[in-house]
Amino acid sequence: MGVEERDSVMSPERRRPRRLLRDVGGVVATVIVAVVAVTVTSASGVAVADPADPLARFHHQPLHWRTCEDAALVKEGAACADVEVPLDYGRPDGPRIPIAVSRIPARDTAHRRGVLLTNSGGPGTPGLDAFDLVGDVLQPDVLSHYDLIGFDPRGVARSGRHQRCGWPVASPIRSAGVGLPGFVAETALQAQLAAECLVGDRDWMRQLSTRNTARDMDVIRAALGADRLSYYGVSYGTYLGAVYAQLFPGRSDRMVLDSAIDPQRYWLGLQQDWGPAVETAFDDWAHWVAARDRQYHLGASAPEVRRRVENLIDRAALSPIVLEGFGFDDHLLPTVLWTMLRDARLNAALAASVQAITDAARGRAPRVPPELHQLIESDKHDESSVMVQIWCADAPMPADPAWYWNAIQAARPTQPIFAALANNIQPCAFWPPPPEPPTVVDNAVPALILQATGDNRTPYAHAVALHHQMSGSRLITLSDTRIHMVLRPGLSTCILDTTRRYFRDGTFPARDRTCRPTTPIE
């Protein structure tokens, strides 16, 4: 562990084997998860190393740059290398792993500022090309001052192994369904997802934490010869950036956190906060659809649109509604809504998708829009188990299924569509405890926090909370806009100019600022 790291490492807990055996509302749900309920022993130990810098061999390692495997990276002028880091920072003399890194060198070498790392969120998203996040919004005279650095976080893509667990579903982000039988089935499924991951290398997966990824970022910084690190992160990337700032406050340079997560609510609290936020987003969408009833035929008023969608979910609970050979039930239909409601620019795509599912339920031949087709293909072929491995390495979740059922039932009156998604049980309920406690963020590192008021993926209250926890930050608010990620071409000149000036010459707003979209989203 580096001497600049502020937060300390706690020894892992021990957990006794357990079986999932709970009486949920009078129905006994017995799920055997013996392969999951393992005795967890410490993966950390006492490191014997130079007390001045136990990571010296990593900080001063030579990097061997090579031609990237991705043709798009080659076209951008990027080179690639592997940065070696400890698997377990509590044992720097133990096993090592490679972190895949890409670099586009600063073109204006006379005014080179340093390195700019980027992270596009997830977690579990590859990031060798993540500098594309800023490449189309920051002007060349800004970008030319930085070495643009992308990287695959530990456990992801070229920095990973055992990446797929062999799941029967694409994602654990699902609804528990409309009633108790669906919740019981979902509990068994989520336990199965955990079991199919944990039959692999548990020690490896338990080290895929955000804290360790932040430590990897600091090794990357040092190996690149940079004194400090500038950073742009989106969504989960804001949590990663906040953790880095907490662990390495003296090494954080110009930081921009777009669509922020409150570290105190990560991960379970964030998931629960989706419920009311997405219900509000649904009502906004329902008003939009009702104004276009002649086109979509989903209802002439927002309450009618809501009623028809809720009835469609009830219908899907009886038997899946099949499109392109894929069945949408009451576990997946709310996820379709959740996915597309993140961005008001997807209003038409969501309306066309609901219309297609409605037609299929009525026995008509549906016209499947491209966005729904893409979701179907993703659900057929993708798997987000690396995302779960990172969640579970970061923060514990309640182990009792009854806890989740009670939370769902308490939320249903005000969240009729999304309570069962936002409070559903997850694989982390059946996972060994994290090796370290979640990071408490409390620092004065300067940062721009960019946030839309209508963001329902990371609700606005999360940005406000992070702003307080990072007392040196400025909150730049995009008002009256339902969107996730606000640093986008053409969305808000105010947001773009504020960010560009900060990255270009360090101009930091004297106070918080509210921006409006340049062109309102219709």
Side-chain angles (χ1 to χ4, degrees), residues 257-280:
L257 308 177
D258 185 343
S259 304
I261 292 175
D262 174 3
Q264 294 184 7
R265 300 288 294 166
Y266 176 93
W267 168 257
L268 176 61
L270 171 62
Q271 177 182 313
Q272 291 186 301
D273 293 341
W274 290 339
V278 186
E279 292 284 353
T280 299

Side-chain angles (χ1 to χ4, degrees), residues 132-382:
D132 282 351
L133 292 169
V134 294
D136 59 353
V137 291
L138 297 183
Q139 296 163 335
D141 68 325
V142 179
L143 298 176
S144 64
H145 295 175
Y146 294 91
D147 289 352
L148 303 180
I149 308 299
F151 74 108
D152 288 341
R154 59 169 53 205
V156 178
R158 291 182 174 88
S159 299
R161 57 192 176 105
H162 311 303
Q163 294 177 57
R164 297 179 69 89
C165 296
W167 283 358
V169 297
S171 172
I173 300 177
R174 300 160 48 88
S175 174
V178 299
L180 181 60
F183 174 73
V184 171
E186 194 67 23
T187 300
L189 173 63
Q190 299 285 349
Q192 177 188 352
L193 301 185
E196 290 179 349
C197 284
L198 291 172
V199 294
D201 187 341
R202 294 186 298 273
D203 289 343
W204 159 262
M205 286 183 287
R206 296 184 74 232
Q207 296 298 333
L208 301 184
S209 68
T210 299
R211 288 169 69 93
N212 279 343
T213 298
R215 293 169 178 139
D216 295 343
M217 287 168 54
D218 200 58
V219 172
I220 293 170
R221 172 204 60 78
L224 291 170
D227 293 330
R228 304 177 73 190
L229 186 72
S230 292
Y231 179 79
Y232 173 72
V234 181
S235 194
Y236 162 79
T238 68
Y239 179 65
L240 174 59
V243 170
Y244 181 85
Q246 182 65 30
L247 298 183
F248 306 99
R251 295 177 181 164
S252 301
D253 197 10
R254 295 172 185 173
M255 306 196 73
V256 176
L257 308 177
D258 185 343
S259 304
I261 292 175
D262 174 3
Q264 294 184 7
R265 300 288 294 166
Y266 176 93
W267 168 257
L268 176 61
L270 171 62
Q271 177 182 313
Q272 291 186 301
D273 293 341
W274 290 339
V278 186
E279 292 284 353
T280 299
F282 181 90
D283 288 334
D284 177 66
W285 172 78
H287 281 286
W288 186 93
V289 172
R292 295 158 179 79
D293 186 47
R294 289 187 177 182
Q295 179 177 358
Y296 297 110
H297 310 293
L298 296 176
S301 67
E304 184 180 2
V305 172
R306 173 176 281 275
R307 177 180 57 80
R308 289 190 179 186
V309 171
E310 291 179 9
N311 288 343
L312 187 64
I313 295 171
D314 289 340
R315 156 67 179 80
L318 299 176
S319 62
I321 302 168
V322 179
L323 286 84
E324 297 187 346
F326 187 82
F328 289 93
D329 58 13
D330 55 330
H331 301 285
L332 288 176
L333 259 182
T335 307
V336 172
L337 301 171
W338 173 82
T339 299
M340 294 194 189
L341 285 170
R342 72 185 187 277
D343 188 337
R345 298 176 304 174
L346 295 172
N347 279 354
L350 178 55
S353 297
V354 173
Q355 185 181 42
I357 296 171
T358 300
D359 286 344
R362 293 173 176 171
R364 302 171 183 167
R367 295 180 59 186
V368 179
E371 295 82 2
L372 184 58
H373 172 77
Q374 184 177 358
L375 285 178
I376 291 172
E377 290 302 303
S378 175
D379 280 338
K380 285 180 178 179
H381 305 296
D382 292 346

